Amino acid sequence: MKKLIVTLFLITSGISFGQNGFDFEEYCYSNNRKIVQELNIDSLENVLLSKINNLRVSNGEEPLVRITSLDQYAENWSYHMLKKEKIYHSEISDGGIVAENVFLTKSFGVFPMEKEPLLKIADEIFHSWFTSEKHKSNMLHGDVKNVGLSIVLLPGGMIDQSATIVVR
């Protein structure tokens, strides 16, 4: 009986929210757009680069230097993966790129996101690459000096995340 009462209350509340003009989906979309606009993506990318360079230095390699053209390549690829809604590698040999790491999370449903979890995205990306031997070796590649990287967050019902690093 309690479940029936709670269910009826929730249905009634949902109907009254709709009648009062409250649109939960639109609230989530606008909230998530606002959260992404408030984030400093450049600083998140710098945190990621710092983590990669700390790993390199602790393993006897030189730190990588960001190159604008490689950043643009990485950003274009991150957007491309989000548009296609799948994770895969680009044709890195076309640009003289030696290695590439990619990252993608797609969310489903509608939920208002908070800023704090998104501030940890650089940690999440680094950890996913660090725990994969192939991706870790790409970050430690000794014959490269330059890097391009990008973190892209697209707000929607939730927030989709994509990242790419390329080294040359």
Side-chain angles (χ1 to χ4, degrees):
M1 186 64 169
K2 288 181 185 179
K3 287 183 183 178
L4 177 62
I5 292 171
V6 169
T7 303
L8 288 173
F9 172 76
L10 291 174
I11 290 171
T12 307
S13 297
I15 291 170
S16 67
F17 282 139
Q19 290 173 345
N20 290 332
F22 180 77
D23 184 339
F24 182 71
E25 188 170 330
E26 179 51 38
Y27 166 76
C28 292
Y29 275 75
S30 63
N31 174 76
N32 295 350
R33 278 191 298 272
K34 177 180 167 252
I35 294 295
V36 168
Q37 287 171 350
E38 290 175 356
L39 289 173
N40 183 338
I41 301 299
D42 290 339
S43 78
L44 293 175
E45 291 171 347
N46 288 334
V47 168
L48 179 58
L49 180 59
S50 177
K51 289 177 174 299
I52 293 168
N53 279 336
N54 287 340
L55 173 68
R56 288 179 61 83
V57 169
S58 71
N59 282 274
E61 298 295 341
E62 292 293 319
L64 297 172
V65 176
R66 283 183 86 169
I67 301 293
T68 304
S69 62
L70 292 176
D71 280 350
Q72 189 60 53
Y73 184 96
E75 183 174 341
N76 289 342
W77 192 252
S78 292
Y79 274 111
H80 177 77
M81 288 190 302
L82 283 169
K83 182 179 175 186
K84 295 289 185 179
E85 297 185 348
K86 69 178 190 175
I87 185 170
Y88 59 108
H89 290 278
S90 67
E91 296 293 329
I92 62 171
S93 60
D94 292 347
I97 295 167
V98 176
E100 174 184 62
N101 288 359
V102 293
F103 176 89
L104 177 74
T105 60
K106 287 288 295 171
S107 47
F108 300 96
V110 178
F111 192 78
M113 298 296 291
E114 296 296 325
K115 194 178 203 176
E116 289 73 28
L118 294 174
L119 292 174
K120 297 177 184 167
I121 184 70
D123 294 331
E124 192 178 322
I125 294 165
F126 180 80
H127 180 74
S128 74
W129 291 337
F130 181 80
T131 57
S132 160
E133 283 304 314
K134 178 65 176 162
H135 293 100
K136 183 177 178 181
S137 71
N138 286 346
M139 292 188 292
L140 290 171
H141 200 296
D143 295 333
V144 298
K145 304 293 179 228
N146 300 318
V147 66
L149 62 96
S150 170
I151 297 175
V152 175
L153 304 175
L154 290 183
M158 291 183 68
I159 296 177
D160 299 331
Q161 307 163 357
S162 179
T164 304
I165 65 162
V166 289
V167 291
R168 172 168 70 196

